Amino acid sequence: FRKKKIRFCKSHIHDWGLFAMEPIAADEMVIEYVGQNIRQVIADMREKRYEEEGIGSSYMFRVDHDTIIDATKCGNFARFINHSCN
């Protein structure tokens, strides 16, 4: 779920990005990271496959030692979040 006003558009840093349209405090929820929960062995296989398919970027987020969320093909805009001091 989205909690803050955000905008998806081209980024000068990394192709596409998600931009905050309002101030966000360090402890505030921005948006939930959505994707498939997978294990490391599956993440490794998918990363290879994505490269072979010509997908430039994969969007995998490690939750803990055993769990990775793969948002590459079935995620939401949260996969484009990076951080900025601005």
Side-chain angles (χ1 to χ4, degrees):
F1 298 102
R2 187 172 50 176
K3 300 290 184 181
K4 290 293 179 179
K5 292 180 186 173
I6 52 179
R7 179 173 50 109
F8 169 71
C9 61
K10 286 294 235 178
S11 168
H12 298 287
I13 297 169
H14 189 268
D15 202 22
W16 292 101
L18 203 62
F19 297 84
M21 302 306 294
E22 64 181 292
I24 300 173
D27 63 344
E28 288 185 293
M29 170 78 162
V30 177
I31 185 173
E32 180 182 8
Y33 196 94
V34 175
Q36 293 180 314
N37 289 347
I38 59 175
R39 294 172 289 130
Q40 183 66 57
V41 66
I42 302 299
D44 293 340
M45 290 187 320
R46 284 188 182 185
E47 193 169 33
K48 273 185 171 181
R49 188 176 72 215
Y50 293 158
E51 285 180 27
E52 291 168 0
E53 292 175 357
I55 296 174
S57 297
S58 60
Y59 299 94
M60 297 190 200
F61 180 84
R62 179 174 297 283
V63 176
D64 57 31
H65 181 71
D66 300 316
T67 309
I68 297 167
I69 301 175
D70 182 2
T72 305
K73 292 188 175 182
C74 61
N76 62 0
F77 285 145
R79 68 182 177 211
F80 299 108
I81 288 178
N82 205 324
H83 76 280
S84 169
C85 295
N86 295 331

